[in-house]
Amino acid sequence: MFMQIDLTSHIVRIISTLKVENEGNGLLSDLLVALTDQEASHLAFLSVFQNEGKGKAKSPKASLPIEVLEPEGIHPHLTFYSVSLPRGLFKGETLTLEVWAVFTHILKPFPKQVPQGDPQLILLEDSGYYLSPYAVESQTLTVKLPDARIESYTELGKTKVRGSEIRYGPYQNQTSFTEFPISVHFEYNKPLLVAQKLVREIEISHWGNVQITEHYNLIHGGAVLKGRYSRLDYQASPHTNAASAFSRLVASLHRGAHSVYYRDEIGNISTSRLRSDSQKTEIEIEPRFPLFGGWRTFFTIGYGLPLEDYLFESEGKRFLNFSFGSSISDLVINELIVKVVLPEGSSGISVSIPFPVEQWQETKISHLDISGRPVMVLRKTNVVPEHNQHFQVYYEFSRFSMLREPLMLIIGFFFLFVASIAYTHADLSISKSSPSYLAKLQKDEVQIKLQQLLNIISQCLAIHDGLEASVQELSKTGDLQAFKTERKPANSLLKELLKELKPLLLFLQSSPQAARIFPKADDLVAKEQELLEKFTTKHSIIVDCYERKLSGREIENRVAPYQQKTTALRQEIDNLVDYIDGAI
Ligand SMILES: *[C@@H]1O[C@H](CO)[C@@H](O)[C@H](O)[C@H]1NC(C)=O
Ligand SMILES: *[C@@H]1O[C@H](CO)[C@@H](O)[C@H](O)[C@H]1NC(C)=O
């Protein structure tokens, strides 16, 4: 058997090709696949399919039926899956199968923090043998890495490195459940993009359009930036000074996409570029600042599609045929919510999707709606590109319902006309939206503001950390001038950032939807302000001490009370950030 661990993406794919032979006397109709519990807890996708002998498959095919087995007690740290074979195997018969397993959050940045400009190193610890419930005659393992820069790897007998691949084996005649843990430590200079949450709204209008709106809440899950972020260094040389930062990404939209926009918390961004050909449309996205490890961003992509390419009719029902996942490649989605908004008056709604998802129905009310539009909501956690398959939403619709909107418009305009004649001098305000819709808009707005607030705070904290690192540097080198040059722009940047927090707080204070969270946000900003003051005083004392050439011990004594205070404040800030983050 051959096993390949593909580490060219942070979405780890382990693809095993098994040639199975039945050596027993009975008929073999199910095959066991085993994963360690640690693997099972990170498993996002598993497919087992027959290999027709034309080499390895490029993408997984439809899986044979798989069932998770209850733990049996003999191997308490393993999880078993039972695969139904396409045909039973008699003694001596063979079958070639491919096991395609996809894991998320299994790669660990090590070290956990790196300064800007240093490469990002990643550690994988896994089993080097295919964990087989059966005896294995011969096996090899290939580990595919993004490039040839390998820090270290476990050696096991026949081990070779060829460029960016580590090859193990072949190893002969292993007993069942032989385990051999390996670790590989390698350079990975790409962002580990994780959408903590993605909400995709697909709205069907029978007037010829499908409108897609995707709300992303992205975090860079890689090594956290240590010290201060320098835009100057970044601009001088983005590749060496922010190799693993995320500064641009490409979303491939469906063919025929039009009216594409990309918007972040602040507004529409026009720097995004659009390319399209007859097959697909690609939008290249550049966030306002590069995203380092631990940093997050919040943005929306929207576009329209021609209805006739995605809406079909079958047996008197209409159905939407659309892809499930994100249009951004190499993205792990912790929580994906797909909302299909159907035209008002649709009924008999059902969904067909090739893997299990949670589903429920909601109603969306927008202007001109009487009873609201039915919304089919699908939710899935731990989504990888393998889930980017087509699903269908079926519904019934009577043609009369289509006339409802224009009718409403005509009646509406008529009343508006009459009303405006009657009350020309009155202050006429028309509420276009229902209270619940408005409430939802306000809630979204509050979330965006909170997210912005957390972003700014995390930038402030990164700057503080950077300055603290410079203090360390100062105590080693005694280079006071270097510290001063570092300190001045950092302080003014911090003041700028604090200024940006003020309008956010004002907004939250005035919003009823933020009543519960506002005190925490207010406290957070106050604590950050206090932290800045304490640090400023502490740094001034240090500068003063150095200028008066006091001893290291003397400096320590003078700084100690501030040291304690800043550590305590920092802890409180972290707690508040966690609290608010949890509430968003
Ligand atoms: C952003 O641009 C899109 C399309 O050009 C437009 O529909 C949308 O209203 C704009 N949004 C803002 C906030 O300007
Ligand atoms: C949905 O669209 C995909 C891609 O165009 C196609 O392969 C698939 O057969 C369609 N499914 C249905 C049920 O029409």
Side-chain angles (χ1 to χ4, degrees):
M1 62 146 302
F2 312 100
M3 178 160 126
Q4 183 190 67
I5 303 183
D6 186 346
L7 302 179
T8 54
S9 155
H10 68 120
I11 302 168
V12 174
R13 295 181 171 88
I14 302 188
I15 302 154
S16 312
T17 312
L18 319 175
K19 191 168 169 203
V20 184
E21 180 175 353
N22 183 6
E23 290 191 336
N25 285 320
L27 179 73
L28 181 72
S29 55
D30 300 290
L31 184 84
L32 287 183
V33 170
L35 295 181
T36 62
D37 282 349
Q38 113 108 354
E39 285 176 334
S41 66
H42 291 281
L43 182 72
F45 180 87
L46 179 65
S47 171
V48 181
F49 49 94
Q50 197 174 345
N51 182 314
E52 317 287 1
K54 291 184 216 98
K56 240 194 296 296
K58 292 243 160 33
S59 58
K61 300 205 198 107
S63 181
L64 299 168
I66 301 177
E67 229 179 284
V68 185
L69 295 185
E70 293 305 317
E72 286 171 18
I74 323 167
H75 298 284
H77 66 296
L78 299 183
T79 304
F80 288 95
Y81 302 84
S82 166
V83 181
S84 311
L85 297 181
R87 57 186 166 84
L89 294 186
F90 290 102
K91 182 170 178 156
E93 284 187 318
T94 63
L95 183 69
T96 304
L97 293 176
E98 216 152 290
V99 180
W100 187 294
V102 183
F103 303 91
T104 57
H105 302 292
I106 204 164
L107 296 182
K108 300 280 177 260
F110 186 79
K112 286 203 176 96
Q113 297 197 340
V114 290
Q116 182 179 0
D118 277 16
Q120 170 175 262
L121 296 175
I122 295 283
L123 184 66
L124 171 83
E125 291 174 308
D126 204 347
S127 176
Y129 288 141
Y130 175 78
L131 198 51
S132 170
Y134 312 95
V136 180
E137 234 177 69
S138 161
Q139 76 156 299
T140 60
L141 163 70
T142 308
V143 180
K144 267 178 86 173
L145 297 168
D147 62 42
R149 281 177 295 240
I150 307 167
E151 284 285 301
S152 68
Y153 59 94
T154 309
E155 293 219 23
L156 168 61
K158 304 168 184 162
T159 310
K160 281 186 298 226
V161 177
R162 287 266 176 287
S164 60
E165 279 188 2
I166 310 174
R167 294 187 193 161
Y168 291 92
Y171 306 110
Q172 317 291 349
N173 300 325
Q174 316 277 338
T175 54
S176 60
F177 295 113
T178 304
E179 282 187 55
F180 179 77
I182 57 165
S183 69
V184 184
H185 193 202
F186 59 100
E187 210 173 302
Y188 185 88
N189 287 318
K190 284 192 276 184
L192 278 66
L193 278 190
V194 179
Q196 289 181 311
K197 187 167 178 181
L198 166 60
V199 179
R200 300 183 81 201
E201 192 177 275
I202 303 162
E203 181 156 2
I204 298 176
S205 156
H206 283 168
W207 300 97
N209 193 41
V210 183
Q211 181 64 34
I212 318 296
T213 316
E214 300 183 334
H215 303 282
Y216 286 87
N217 182 352
L218 280 195
I219 184 164
H220 183 324
V224 172
L225 177 68
K226 185 171 167 183
R228 195 159 66 87
Y229 157 60
S230 155
R231 188 176 261 286
L232 232 60
D233 288 355
Y234 172 70
Q235 278 165 347
S237 169
H239 290 295
T240 52
N241 280 319
S244 61
F246 141 54
S247 51
R248 117 168 353 105
L249 61 81
V250 175
S252 17
L253 311 179
H254 289 78
R255 146 182 61 86
H258 61 84
S259 327
V260 182
Y261 68 90
Y262 159 53
R263 164 160 62 82
D264 72 358
E265 301 113 315
I266 306 171
N268 266 354
I269 298 191
S270 48
T271 55
S272 50
R273 272 185 290 275
L274 205 65
R275 284 189 294 266
S276 54
D277 58 31
S278 59
Q279 292 303 310
K280 61 182 184 310
T281 303
E282 279 184 349
I283 176 174
E284 191 177 316
I285 294 171
E286 255 179 71
R288 286 176 204 267
F289 53 86
L291 206 67
F292 287 89
W295 292 20
R296 42 183 99 222
T297 179
F298 194 94
F299 62 87
T300 301
I301 301 175
Y303 55 98
L305 291 170
L307 185 71
E308 66 270 20
D309 292 347
Y310 302 93
L311 194 72
F312 306 92
E313 260 189 84
S314 148
E315 296 170 6
K317 282 197 153 202
R318 298 180 183 213
F319 71 95
L320 170 83
N321 183 19
F322 211 74
S323 61
F324 184 70
S326 163
S327 42
I328 296 174
S329 59
D330 256 1
L331 182 69
V332 171
I333 309 168
N334 288 349
E335 182 187 14
L336 173 61
I337 294 180
V338 176
K339 298 184 172 187
V340 179
V341 184
L342 299 171
E344 194 174 24
S346 304
S347 59
I349 303 160
S350 62
V351 175
S352 158
I353 182 158
F355 38 82
V357 294
E358 276 174 64
Q359 43 180 278
W360 66 90
Q361 279 191 31
E362 286 175 359
T363 308
K364 174 177 176 174
I365 309 220
S366 49
H367 54 287
L368 297 180
D369 288 349
I370 308 171
S371 55
R373 303 172 190 222
V375 182
M376 189 74 219
V377 187
L378 309 175
R379 177 179 180 273
K380 175 156 179 53
T381 54
N382 208 3
V383 178
V384 290
E386 272 77 358
H387 292 116
N388 212 346
Q389 301 180 26
H390 279 80
F391 70 101
Q392 294 82 34
V393 176
Y394 293 85
Y395 63 97
E396 282 159 29
F397 186 80
S398 73
R399 271 177 201 286
F400 175 71
S401 308
M402 255 184 99
L403 293 176
R404 198 141 60 172
E405 278 193 10
L407 225 54
M408 284 291 295
L409 266 178
I410 293 165
I411 296 171
F413 276 121
F414 175 71
F415 276 110
L416 187 64
F417 180 66
V418 171
S420 56
I421 289 176
Y423 300 101
T424 356
H425 300 293
D427 175 18
L428 198 64
S429 62
I430 306 149
S431 160
K432 275 191 196 156
S433 315
S434 73
S436 69
Y437 184 62
L438 275 180
K440 194 196 155 294
L441 285 184
Q442 283 160 3
K443 196 157 160 258
D444 287 352
E445 194 85 347
V446 165
Q447 291 201 342
I448 290 174
K449 297 290 184 208
L450 285 172
Q451 195 67 52
Q452 278 178 291
L453 188 117
L454 290 187
N455 274 340
I456 296 178
I457 294 285
S458 72
Q459 288 180 49
C460 291
L461 293 180
I463 300 174
H464 289 318
D465 289 350
L467 275 178
E468 283 305 277
S470 318
V471 171
Q472 292 297 328
E473 200 62 27
L474 171 65
S475 69
K476 275 189 229 134
T477 61
D479 186 351
L480 186 59
Q481 203 46 47
F483 178 66
K484 281 182 174 171
T485 13
E486 186 84 11
R487 191 180 166 211
K488 204 164 161 240
N491 272 346
S492 51
L493 189 55
L494 281 166
K495 289 202 189 102
E496 287 290 304
L497 288 172
L498 268 177
K499 259 189 234 151
E500 284 180 32
L501 288 170
K502 294 274 144 58
L504 294 176
L505 271 189
L506 279 179
F507 175 88
L508 292 171
Q509 190 175 21
S510 64
S511 170
Q513 303 274 357
R516 202 175 50 81
I517 201 86
F518 171 71
K520 298 282 183 191
D522 192 36
D523 200 17
L524 176 60
V525 174
K527 291 263 153 50
E528 167 54 33
Q529 179 120 33
E530 199 183 341
L531 184 65
L532 173 60
E533 281 161 17
K534 291 284 176 296
F535 269 135
T536 311
T537 321
K538 180 182 141 184
H539 295 156
S540 304
I541 293 176
I542 292 175
V543 170
D544 185 50
C545 289
Y546 269 91
E547 279 173 346
R548 289 161 52 194
K549 302 205 168 23
L550 297 183
S551 73
R553 178 162 213 118
E554 185 67 15
I555 299 178
E556 240 168 64
N557 283 342
R558 293 189 184 203
V559 162
Y562 293 95
Q563 194 66 43
Q564 278 170 9
K565 188 69 194 163
T566 51
T567 312
L569 276 170
R570 179 63 199 256
Q571 185 59 48
E572 286 171 69
I573 289 178
D574 285 345
N575 291 345
L576 284 166
V577 166
D578 283 348
Y579 180 90
I580 296 175
D581 198 22
I584 297 180

